[in-house]
Amino acid sequence: MLCDECLKNNATVHMTTFVNGQIKTVHLCGQCAAKRKQTAIIPGFSFNDFMSAFYDTDDSADVVCDICGTTLLEFKKTGRLGCANCYRVFETSILPVLKGIHMNNKHTGKRPGERLDIDIEKAEESINKKEELKKAMRMAISTENFEEAARLRDEIAILEKEGD
Amino acid sequence: MPRWLEDNAPESDVVISTRIRLARNLADVPFPSKIRKRSDIELVHSSAKDCLLKASEFKYVRLSDMSELSKRALTERHIISNELARKKDGGLITSGDESISVLIMEEDHYRLQSISAGLAINKAYNAADHLDIMLSDGVSFAYDEELGFLTSCPTNAGTGLRASVMLHLPALTAAKGIQRVIAMISKVGMTVRGAFGEGSEASGAFYQISNQITLGVSEKEILMRLLTTANKVIDFERHTRRELYRNLGIALEDRIWRAIGVLRNARKMSDVEAQKLISDVAFGVALGFVPKLSSSTLYRVMMDTRPAVLAEGNNSAQPQQRDVVRADILRKVFDI
């Protein structure tokens, strides 16, 4: 039997692996087995390497982007796409990953050219104030001070309206 | 020198800076790793220049025209990344005080950056947003209705927003509370890493907290989460500082004054030693022991004495002379 890797020498090492629920056996010559052993004990620790474990790909059929020439295997290795079109070409492999990293796959942020005018300090202040008022309202209810509780309830309602 | 540092910035006893970064790409040009045509590369550069140099305070430079020393100094000031410094096609647009910068042809065509002193998320974000609008007026971005802004690495897609704060956490570091804080923060979709030094090992107790998630959340949600996280960590740090002082008392005061003693007398000092000592003094300033110094003075001198920044400002001092020059600068600042 010839070595699966170099297809030159006789296979003397038989390795069985269990990947994605499938048992695979590879037959290697002494040299190729040694090489594989070496790479096996020096794992890559980059974030992209780590993420590649989450890409759902079928390694047997490589896909190529028709605009920039990036291949799916290349993307799996580097974690980087070559152009905007890659997102469409590799969609089925990328979307599950995006879901893994992010909250979900739907962009909810700004669109190009939109001005946001962020004022989160104010937003946080209002949240804190609301929490305080709610606490005071519960306190008023527990001491049967219903007049005060009603006043606080109205104040909270105003704040909530402003927040929208 | 980081000219954007200012006195009395919000929460500056704990927060050094707030930083916003937006990743953007042109719609019909391959991302930098796959860009091949010279004309495409020139288009990336010229589009940014056309849109942004209208504001006269911005200046543009091609990284290939810069000395290795200047590039190193920019990386030490956290303006450009090591990745951009190595690229031959890279470019940089900066405002006069370097609070605004655009990295051209790094991992993405554009990285729009804005830095503010202290905890100033609104200010930093709105400056970056303004830059984003200026650029979008003249170009069309790689953008998808579903996935938002498209980036070279899908981990940045969506908003393309990375928002971060740089914190000085000497008490949490000394009291070994930092690992717990890091574990907590990572549970809410944020990451923490050392702001100086290699990897996650922080030198001088400076840390950077930033968002990990960029898609499926709005800019406002990302920024709110950063603010809430930062405020909580600031509380933890301040509380731990008081507790440490209560427990250690004179021993802590002694450590801080010894640090000042070394800084005002040493004739030779390495970058790492300076950072550690300045970190100790900053702790003392925050506790009110050293009324003659402010946090911003310390952050500034720490940046100014980084190896390449220092060499750039002192006739390209050679490595063996730098420790002497550094000690000279520090003696003046700490002669209080």
Side-chain angles (χ1 to χ4, degrees), chain A residues 47-48 51 55 67-70 74-75 79-84 87 94-95 98 101-124 127, chain B residues 30-31 33-34 83 107 121-122 125-126 129-130 132-133 136 142-143 145-155 157-159 212-220 223-224 227-228 231:
Chain A
F47 184 62
N48 287 335
M51 285 317 301
Y55 298 121
I67 299 283
C68 70
T70 300
E74 201 182 337
F75 167 60
R80 288 188 185 183
L81 294 163
C83 68
Y87 276 89
I94 295 171
L95 288 185
L98 287 178
I101 309 167
H102 301 294
M103 300 293 269
N104 57 56
N105 288 346
K106 178 79 184 98
H107 176 57
T108 56
K110 72 181 268 187
R111 303 163 53 84
E114 191 183 331
R115 181 180 301 278
L116 288 186
D117 229 342
I118 292 284
D119 193 356
I120 53 165
E121 272 102 4
K122 198 173 152 200
E124 197 185 66
I127 288 171
Chain B
F31 300 150
S33 65
K34 286 287 169 176
E83 181 173 348
E107 186 181 303
I121 297 177
N122 288 341
Y125 180 81
N126 289 329
D129 200 52
H130 180 65
D132 185 32
I133 290 165
S136 70
Y143 178 82
E145 287 296 329
E146 281 292 310
L147 298 175
F149 293 95
L150 304 179
T151 51
S152 165
C153 198
T155 51
T159 57
Q212 183 75 54
I213 295 163
T214 56
L215 175 65
V217 281
S218 70
E219 288 82 0
K220 193 173 167 188
L223 298 171
M224 281 288 279
L227 179 65
T228 310
N231 275 332

Side-chain angles (χ1 to χ4, degrees), chain B residues 24-286:
Chain B
R24 297 287 185 261
N25 287 282
L26 295 178
D28 299 314
V29 177
F31 300 150
S33 65
K34 286 287 169 176
I35 201 164
R36 294 288 177 264
K37 283 193 255 166
R38 208 16 50 202
S39 59
D40 278 346
I41 296 172
E42 291 314 315
L43 182 70
V44 174
H45 281 262
S46 64
S47 303
K49 280 155 72 179
D50 290 347
C51 295
L52 302 176
L53 294 187
K54 285 180 285 190
S56 53
E57 55 142 357
F58 290 145
K59 69 171 203 284
Y60 163 87
V61 61
R62 260 196 125 92
L63 288 168
S64 53
D65 293 336
M66 290 182 86
S67 68
E68 283 306 312
L69 186 66
S70 301
K71 283 192 265 186
R72 275 275 309 284
L74 280 170
T75 59
E76 285 177 1
R77 292 203 296 272
H78 292 152
I79 301 295
I80 67 170
S81 59
N82 286 322
E83 181 173 348
L84 187 67
R86 279 195 299 269
K87 287 219 162 164
K88 63 180 198 309
D89 288 319
L92 177 69
I93 289 176
T94 47
S95 63
D97 62 357
E98 291 184 344
S99 66
I100 299 279
S101 53
V102 180
L103 278 58
I104 304 171
M105 288 285 289
E106 198 225 35
E107 186 181 303
D108 293 299
H109 292 151
Y110 307 118
R111 291 278 171 97
L112 316 178
Q113 292 188 136
S114 155
I115 309 174
S116 285
L119 184 66
I121 297 177
N122 288 341
K123 188 176 162 195
Y125 180 81
N126 289 329
D129 200 52
H130 180 65
L131 203 62
D132 185 32
I133 290 165
M134 275 173 84
L135 196 54
S136 70
D137 279 347
V139 303
S140 114
F141 286 139
Y143 178 82
D144 179 88
E145 287 296 329
E146 281 292 310
L147 298 175
F149 293 95
L150 304 179
T151 51
S152 165
C153 198
T155 51
N156 294 319
T159 57
L161 166 64
R162 188 81 64 219
S164 64
V165 286
M166 196 198 282
L167 307 172
H168 182 220
L169 307 174
L172 282 170
T173 306
K176 313 281 179 221
I178 197 77
Q179 291 307 330
R180 262 172 42 225
V181 171
I182 291 173
M184 282 188 269
I185 289 172
S186 58
K187 283 188 182 149
V188 292
M190 315 284 276
T191 55
V192 190
R193 58 183 184 81
F196 299 104
E198 291 299 309
S200 63
E201 201 185 318
S203 113
F206 293 94
Y207 299 84
Q208 191 145 336
I209 300 180
S210 60
N211 64 304
Q212 183 75 54
I213 295 163
T214 56
L215 175 65
V217 281
S218 70
E219 288 82 0
K220 193 173 167 188
E221 287 167 314
I222 291 171
L223 298 171
M224 281 288 279
R225 192 168 291 187
L226 179 67
L227 179 65
T228 310
T229 308
N231 275 332
K232 204 67 215 174
V233 177
I234 292 168
D235 278 354
F236 284 159
E237 171 65 20
R238 285 182 183 149
H239 175 76
T240 314
R241 284 176 184 181
R242 286 192 297 270
E243 285 299 302
L244 264 186
Y245 185 44
R246 218 163 53 94
N247 290 332
L248 298 176
I250 193 80
L252 186 63
E253 263 184 79
D254 181 62
R255 179 173 139 186
I256 286 153
W257 284 104
R258 276 172 187 273
I260 293 176
V262 175
L263 286 164
R264 70 189 288 187
N265 287 298
R267 260 56 183 171
K268 259 183 99 207
M269 191 172 299
S270 73
D271 179 38
V272 174
E273 188 185 7
Q275 240 170 47
K276 210 186 135 297
L277 294 171
I278 294 170
S279 171
D280 280 353
V281 179
F283 189 4
V285 168

Side-chain angles (χ1 to χ4, degrees), chain A residues 49-66:
Chain A
D49 259 345
F50 177 71
M51 285 317 301
S52 70
F54 296 85
Y55 298 121
D56 179 25
T57 53
D58 175 4
D59 288 356
S60 60
D62 202 8
V63 188
V64 184
C65 171
D66 48 334

Side-chain angles (χ1 to χ4, degrees), chain A:
Chain A
M1 188 187 290
L2 280 180
C3 167
D4 288 347
E5 201 98 21
C6 63
L7 304 172
K8 278 184 207 155
N9 306 328
N10 255 336
T12 52
V13 180
H14 311 280
M15 285 162 60
T16 305
T17 53
F18 190 73
V19 181
N20 294 336
Q22 276 190 318
I23 297 171
K24 278 185 192 163
T25 307
V26 285
H27 310 282
L28 303 169
C29 68
Q31 281 174 329
C32 290
K35 266 190 213 157
R36 199 174 264 217
K37 210 171 175 182
Q38 234 169 35
T39 50
I41 54 168
I42 314 168
F45 279 143
S46 77
F47 184 62
N48 287 335
D49 259 345
F50 177 71
M51 285 317 301
S52 70
F54 296 85
Y55 298 121
D56 179 25
T57 53
D58 175 4
D59 288 356
S60 60
D62 202 8
V63 188
V64 184
C65 171
D66 48 334
I67 299 283
C68 70
T70 300
T71 68
L72 185 53
L73 286 178
E74 201 182 337
F75 167 60
K76 271 193 75 173
K77 216 151 87 191
T78 63
R80 288 188 185 183
L81 294 163
C83 68
N85 187 54
C86 288
Y87 276 89
R88 197 179 50 74
V89 178
F90 307 132
E91 194 180 359
T92 51
S93 318
I94 295 171
L95 288 185
V97 189
L98 287 178
K99 212 169 221 164
I101 309 167
H102 301 294
M103 300 293 269
N104 57 56
N105 288 346
K106 178 79 184 98
H107 176 57
T108 56
K110 72 181 268 187
R111 303 163 53 84
E114 191 183 331
R115 181 180 301 278
L116 288 186
D117 229 342
I118 292 284
D119 193 356
I120 53 165
E121 272 102 4
K122 198 173 152 200
E124 197 185 66
E125 224 170 70
S126 135
I127 288 171
N128 288 342
K129 185 145 186 237
K130 220 155 61 185
E131 286 307 312
E132 265 171 40
L133 289 173
K134 277 183 184 164
K135 219 193 247 169
M137 183 175 75
R138 282 194 295 270
M139 191 71 169
I141 293 170
S142 68
T143 56
E144 300 191 1
N145 187 351
F146 297 114
E147 214 170 301
E148 173 71 359
R151 193 186 63 76
L152 290 165
R153 182 200 58 208
D154 294 343
E155 213 173 309
I156 293 166
I158 292 169
L159 271 182
E160 268 171 359
K161 221 176 199 170
E162 276 176 3
D164 289 337

